[in-house]
């Protein structure tokens, strides 16, 4: 898109890039300002702000195909004195015929258009294997008040179009599967909430069939698999404490997206300076440690620091002046910071040592290990109501948020307690205010099937009755013991993707939107299919192995760049991609599961969602589904 305006006559011509609110966001997820400048863009403008005329320059418009945007574009380029010399227009998704005709009718503009194309890029790349459609208010619009409202349909429609642009961009044509509405008997009405995955799958399929007939080079038979589910498949993942470095950073530090505010020592002994840092794929240490357990990440950072000191003479001289005792990571850090010649290499390392130190302090001060242990025990059925009551009595100083999260997990594992007053008594014991209680009760809204409320299992249609004797929301996957405590928990999509990969996902619960063509196997090489069949008993069932927490890729802070280089090229040799889309917000643990499954299944697994939420954000969104609506909902039944 940015290179399209390069004219043959002038190689050095700078150009203007004009975007709207949404496309600015898409662009900022995809590249940095420096990347844009490198392609010859000297100015980035907002289509809705007044702009100075630059009649000697070309402009690239990257905009949504709305009527307002088209009108703005025409007023920029029409008449005797247009703002720019030529306009190269790219729409983020398919444009309506009447808007194209509207542009065609203005003859003064036609000769000034250098390109008019559909870019089909309306998703936000959050990671090399994750994207969001940026529908932050999905829970409110789809699971909130008026069932099947106009707002809900518009939201589903927008989401479907944005998901489809992922496949248009990647030139992939998926076999579309979705979680079917669960109905206990034919007489029960399915509700709008029940049908969310079904409606979304239909919307995506609708867009894909259009692409199939209009886009050049778009595949005509299936090239990958897409599974659409909603938050009801796993309500524990967004709430439970996840113990990897990445998840802990986002959960416990007040980060703004990927931005972390880092305090660095001031120059010449002055006050410390604040610096914004982005924790993202460009940072090799982050890339290596993000999915490691926090304990492992801390260990490895200490090792990197020690190795750095032992390899650098200046640091050793500095060390020689001290006694030969065991140095703490903090000492090592101070020492190395005193060496100006290593400032660049040590900067990244220091940043992560600081972050890990901060996380470990929070974990210690807020009894997170005990909380985490109880959370996991509740999920795996090793703890029950008594244990929770004892914990709340003994640990009265635990933060309100931690108590709330414990109760939400308890409510997911014991949905029948909604019907008794046990839950409200627990909330009184935890001294939770009304809006926190709303978050617990509103979890029922996320489980679409209202018909299930008649059943003894209460409002959640998750299959919690697997062990009638032992109330558990997960079964241990015990092929391999976990190296680290507190990494027993695994998100439900891990199980779904493994079943999908083996062709064992039940057709009744997860029907297909399209019947696959006879040639479609779900993996690209027949060899890999045979390999899968041979090794299934061992490899597919392994429990969340902690091997992801153990690869020692590099001993210093900067030789792990090789991870960056190998990451993407490896997938090209793999089988067909699997896409999973979760309506209602995905979690960091689910993103990590997709990275882990890609290595394990030898197929790239891509996670999509309406947004990516850390527990505090998710809980806030749940509170917005207020309690009044819940009582209305109960009345309707």
């Amino acid at each position: 898109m940015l290179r399209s305006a390069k004219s043959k006559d002038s190689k050095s011509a700078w150009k203007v890039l004009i975007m709207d609110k949404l496309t600015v966001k898409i662009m900022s997820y995809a590249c940095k300002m420096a990347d844009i400048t490198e392609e010859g863009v000297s100015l980035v403008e907002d289509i809705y702000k007044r702009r100075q005329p630059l009649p000697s320059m070309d402009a690239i418009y990257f905009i949504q195909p709305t009527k307002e945007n088209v009108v703005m574009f025409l007023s920029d380029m029409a008449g005797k004195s247009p703002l720019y010399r030529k306009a190269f227009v790219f729409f983020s998704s398919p444009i309506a015929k009447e808007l194209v005709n509207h542009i065609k009718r203005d003859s003064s503009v036609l000769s000034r258009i250098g390109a008019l194309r559909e870019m089909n890029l309306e998703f936000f790349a959050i990671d090399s294997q994750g994207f969001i459609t940026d529908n932050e208010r999905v829970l409110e619009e789809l699971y909130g008040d008026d069932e099947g409202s106009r707002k809900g349909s518009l939201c589903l429609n927008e989401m479907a179009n944005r998901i489809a642009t992922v496949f248009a961009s990647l030139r992939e044509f998926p076999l579309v599967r979705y979680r079917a509405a669960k109905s206990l008997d034919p007489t029960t009405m399915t509700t709008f909430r029940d049908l969310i995955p079904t409606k979304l799958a239909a919307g995506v399929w609708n867009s894909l069939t259009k692409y199939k007939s209009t886009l050049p080079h778009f595949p005509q038979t299936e090239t990958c698999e897409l599974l659409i589910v909603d938050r009801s498949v796993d309500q524990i993942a967004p709430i439970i404490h996840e113990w990897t470095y990445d998840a802990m950073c986002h959960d416990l530090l007040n980060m703004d997206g990927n931005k972390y505010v880092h305090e660095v020592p001031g120059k010449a002994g002055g006050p410390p300076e604040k610096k914004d840092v982005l924790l993202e794929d460009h940072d090799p240490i982050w890339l290596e440690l993000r999915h490691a357990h926090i304990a492992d990440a801390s260990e490895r950072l200490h090792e990197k620091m020690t190795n750095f000191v032992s390899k650098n003479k200046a640091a050793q001289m500095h060390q020689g002046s001290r006694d030969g005792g065991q140095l703490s990571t903090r000492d090592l850090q101070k020492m190395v910071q005193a060496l100006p010649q290593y400032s660049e290499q040590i900067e990244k390392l220091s940043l992560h040592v600081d972050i890990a130190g901060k996380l470990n302090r929070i974990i210690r001060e807020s009894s997170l290990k005990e909380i985490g242990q109880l959370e996991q025990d509740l999920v795996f059925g090793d703890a029950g109501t008594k244990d929770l009551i004892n914990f709340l009595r003994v640990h009265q100083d635990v933060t309100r948020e931690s108590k709330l999260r414990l109760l939400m997990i308890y409510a997911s594992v014991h949905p029948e307690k909604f019907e008794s007053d046990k839950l409200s008594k627990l909330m009184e014991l935890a001294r939770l205010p009304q809006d926190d209680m709303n978050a617990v009760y509103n979890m029922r809204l996320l489980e679409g099937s209202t018909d299930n409320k008649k059943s003894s299992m209460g409002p959640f249609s998750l299959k919690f009755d697997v062990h009638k004797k032992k109330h558990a929301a997960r079964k241990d996957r015990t092929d391999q013991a976990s190296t680290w405590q507190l990494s027993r928990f695994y998100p439900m999509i891990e199980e779904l993707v493994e079943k999908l990969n083996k062709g064992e996902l039940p057709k009744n619960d997860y029907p297909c939107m399209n019947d696959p063509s006879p040639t479609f196997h779900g993996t690209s090489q027949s060899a890999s299919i045979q390999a899968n069949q041979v090794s299934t008993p061992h490899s597919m069932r392994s429990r969340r192995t902690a091997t992801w927490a153990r690869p020692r890729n590099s001993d210093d802070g900067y030789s792990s760049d090789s991870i960056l280089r190998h990451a993407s090229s490896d997938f090209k040799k793999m089988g067909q991609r699997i896409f999973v889309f979760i309506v209602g917000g995905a979690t960091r643990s689910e993103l990590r599961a997709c990275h882990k499954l890609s290595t394990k299944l030898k197929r790239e697994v891509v996670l999509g969602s309406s947004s990516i939420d850390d527990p505090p954000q998710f809980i806030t969104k749940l509170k917005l589904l207020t309690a009044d609506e819940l009582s209305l909902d109960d009345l309707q039944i």
Side-chain angles (χ1 to χ4, degrees):
M1 179 172 77
L2 298 178
R3 289 172 190 158
S4 65
K6 268 206 175 132
S7 48
K8 293 178 182 72
D9 48 349
S10 61
K11 284 202 166 66
S12 64
W14 286 93
K15 43 199 182 274
V16 189
L17 174 62
I18 298 154
M19 298 185 278
D20 59 32
K21 265 200 179 68
L22 181 90
T23 52
V24 160
K25 219 168 165 184
I26 293 169
M27 190 64 106
S28 67
Y29 271 102
C31 49
K32 291 187 155 54
M33 196 63 207
D35 302 326
I36 298 175
T37 317
E38 214 168 276
E39 295 298 337
V41 172
S42 60
L43 189 61
V44 175
E45 296 262 39
D46 177 342
I47 193 165
Y48 287 106
K49 295 220 168 95
R50 281 192 65 133
R51 288 163 273 129
Q52 63 184 92
L54 297 163
S56 65
M57 284 176 88
D58 289 344
I60 295 174
Y61 284 81
F62 177 35
I63 50 179
Q64 285 179 280
T66 61
K67 190 167 185 207
E68 298 79 21
N69 281 350
V70 169
V71 168
M72 290 298 288
F73 153 68
L74 289 173
S75 75
D76 286 354
M77 297 304 293
K80 287 200 176 105
S81 46
L83 290 187
Y84 312 105
R85 189 176 66 178
K86 241 188 165 58
F88 295 79
V89 188
F90 294 87
F91 294 109
S92 57
S93 54
I95 182 170
K97 281 218 170 65
E98 55 267 26
L99 288 178
V100 179
N101 294 333
H102 189 50
I103 296 170
K104 281 183 182 163
R105 279 198 291 275
D106 199 325
S107 54
S108 67
V109 173
L110 281 181
S111 59
R112 296 170 185 152
I113 296 179
L116 192 64
R117 291 195 205 134
E118 289 168 348
M119 188 72 181
N120 292 319
L121 187 67
E122 225 171 80
F123 58 91
F124 306 78
I126 49 168
D127 158 289
S128 59
Q129 278 167 253
F131 71 90
I132 53 171
T133 57
D134 200 40
N135 297 89
E136 283 289 341
R137 302 183 60 179
V138 158
L139 289 186
E140 212 177 317
E141 290 173 359
L142 296 182
Y143 299 89
D145 44 13
D146 33 349
E147 288 260 309
S149 64
R150 195 170 157 271
K151 236 197 286 179
S153 303
L154 285 171
C155 171
L156 276 172
N157 204 17
E158 182 179 77
M159 231 184 329
N161 289 337
R162 289 184 181 173
I163 294 167
T165 68
V166 173
F167 295 99
S169 299
L170 294 173
R171 291 291 189 272
E172 290 263 28
F173 179 45
L175 171 74
V176 182
R177 297 186 68 177
Y178 57 94
R179 183 186 70 81
K182 293 173 181 158
S183 170
L184 283 185
D185 58 81
T187 57
T188 329
M189 282 270 293
T190 45
T191 61
F192 178 77
R193 286 186 202 122
D194 282 333
L195 294 166
I196 289 168
T198 315
K199 284 175 184 282
L200 185 60
V204 171
W205 181 242
N206 199 11
S207 296
L208 288 170
T209 43
K210 282 186 197 136
Y211 284 144
K212 202 173 163 182
S213 54
T214 56
L215 283 186
H217 314 302
F218 194 74
Q220 297 299 300
T221 55
E222 295 82 3
T223 57
C224 62
E225 293 177 85
L226 163 66
L227 175 64
I228 295 177
V229 295
D230 65 354
R231 211 44 285 171
S232 70
V233 299
D234 187 352
Q235 287 155 324
I236 297 170
I239 301 156
I240 195 165
H241 282 92
E242 161 81 356
W243 290 81
T244 57
Y245 186 48
D246 175 9
M248 286 258 138
C249 286
H250 285 90
D251 189 356
L252 304 180
L253 308 173
N254 292 322
M255 284 174 63
D256 173 12
N258 284 343
K259 194 168 77 189
Y260 170 72
V261 182
H262 178 42
E263 282 199 357
V264 288
K267 290 184 178 63
E273 297 166 19
K274 288 195 166 161
K275 222 172 140 183
D276 286 352
V277 223
L278 287 176
L279 299 180
E280 55 177 8
D281 291 12
H282 295 284
D283 170 351
I285 302 183
W286 172 253
L287 204 64
E288 184 190 331
L289 296 181
R290 62 182 175 174
H291 295 156
H293 187 288
I294 180 67
D296 192 38
S298 309
E299 255 179 45
R300 277 149 73 176
L301 281 166
H302 185 81
E303 260 171 48
K304 282 178 190 295
M305 270 290 183
T306 319
N307 282 331
F308 189 91
V309 171
S310 65
K311 279 183 186 168
N312 295 295
K313 290 213 167 66
Q316 284 166 354
M317 277 156 55
H318 214 84
Q319 188 179 358
S321 62
R322 311 172 66 108
D323 55 19
Q326 183 69 41
L327 286 168
S328 72
T329 311
R330 171 81 49 210
D331 291 336
L332 291 167
Q333 189 184 359
K334 277 194 185 134
M335 245 162 52
V336 182
Q337 272 166 346
L339 312 169
Q341 68 270 46
Y342 295 117
S343 63
E344 211 173 300
Q345 299 164 356
I346 202 63
E347 210 171 280
K348 280 265 187 288
L349 212 40
S350 287
L351 162 74
H352 290 288
V353 167
D354 270 355
I355 294 176
K358 204 181 258 186
L359 291 175
N360 284 316
R361 199 168 56 249
I362 296 172
I363 291 168
R364 249 194 337 272
E365 288 167 5
S366 49
S367 326
L368 266 192
K369 279 192 181 141
E370 294 82 353
I371 293 165
Q373 191 60 58
L374 180 55
E375 286 178 346
Q376 307 240 348
D377 288 347
L378 283 168
V379 171
F380 285 93
D382 297 332
T385 318
K386 280 195 184 113
D387 306 271
L388 182 58
I389 292 171
N390 290 341
F391 183 88
L392 293 172
R393 284 207 174 115
V394 176
H395 297 82
Q396 299 209 342
D397 54 339
V398 162
T399 64
R400 206 178 100 189
E401 189 200 307
S402 294
K403 290 190 225 175
L404 173 59
R405 283 163 75 170
L406 272 169
L407 281 173
M408 289 170 91
I409 290 169
Y410 175 80
S412 324
V413 184
H414 298 272
E416 74 288 351
K417 299 285 193 262
F418 275 115
E419 311 303 328
S420 67
D421 59 350
K422 179 134 291 162
L423 207 53
S424 49
K425 285 208 169 93
L426 278 167
M427 286 191 251
E428 278 166 37
L429 176 64
R431 301 204 188 112
L432 291 185
Q434 186 57 50
D435 72 324
D436 282 0
M437 295 190 183
N438 290 349
V440 181
Y441 282 114
N442 288 345
M443 291 180 77
R444 315 168 79 170
L445 292 175
L446 289 194
E447 181 47 80
S449 327
T450 41
D451 47 54
N452 273 32
K453 291 182 186 175
K454 295 175 190 160
S455 77
S456 59
M457 275 305 290
F460 285 67
S461 64
L462 295 180
K463 297 196 177 80
F464 285 132
D465 48 351
V466 206
H467 300 294
K468 274 282 193 290
K469 297 170 240 25
K470 181 176 166 183
H471 230 98
R474 291 286 187 284
K475 283 187 283 189
D476 254 318
R477 308 175 75 182
T478 40
D479 294 4
Q480 280 181 300
S482 176
T483 323
W484 295 105
Q485 188 194 11
L486 302 171
S487 47
R488 267 172 94 185
F489 179 79
Y490 58 94
M492 223 53 211
I493 64 158
E494 198 168 306
E495 223 162 74
L496 290 176
V497 172
E498 287 188 348
K499 282 185 179 158
L500 181 72
N501 175 61
K502 290 195 290 182
E504 289 175 4
L505 208 55
K507 284 275 195 302
N508 299 346
D509 299 337
Y510 296 92
C512 299
M513 206 72 224
N514 44 325
D515 283 327
S517 358
T519 52
F520 180 76
H521 288 303
T523 43
S524 63
Q525 299 124 338
S526 51
S528 67
I529 296 172
Q530 286 158 5
N532 272 354
Q533 286 166 348
V534 179
S535 62
T536 335
H538 163 69
S539 66
M540 297 306 172
R541 293 312 305 157
S542 67
R543 186 170 74 97
R544 302 196 7 152
T545 65
T547 46
W548 52 264
R550 282 280 171 200
R552 301 226 179 282
N553 289 316
S554 75
D555 52 0
D556 52 14
Y558 38 91
S559 65
S560 42
D561 284 340
S562 56
I563 307 176
L564 286 166
R565 282 200 296 277
H566 299 311
S568 54
S569 59
D570 288 353
F571 287 129
K572 295 188 182 110
K573 309 180 195 101
M574 293 190 171
Q576 290 174 323
R577 285 187 175 117
I578 295 175
F579 291 82
V580 187
F581 190 87
I582 303 173
V583 183
T587 68
R588 310 235 161 233
S589 60
E590 285 162 334
L591 193 53
R592 193 203 68 234
C594 290
H595 281 275
K596 182 186 130 184
L597 286 164
S598 300
T599 316
K600 181 173 166 183
L601 307 177
K602 307 268 185 290
R603 294 174 71 177
E604 188 173 9
V605 182
V606 178
L607 176 70
S609 184
S610 43
S611 58
I612 184 147
D613 295 331
D614 307 310
Q617 290 168 302
F618 182 76
I619 292 168
T620 307
K621 288 179 183 179
L622 263 188
K623 287 179 183 176
L624 293 174
L625 303 178
T626 61
D628 314 342
E629 290 151 15
L630 179 71
S631 52
L632 267 175
D633 195 62
D634 283 342
L635 282 172
Q636 285 165 358
I637 302 155

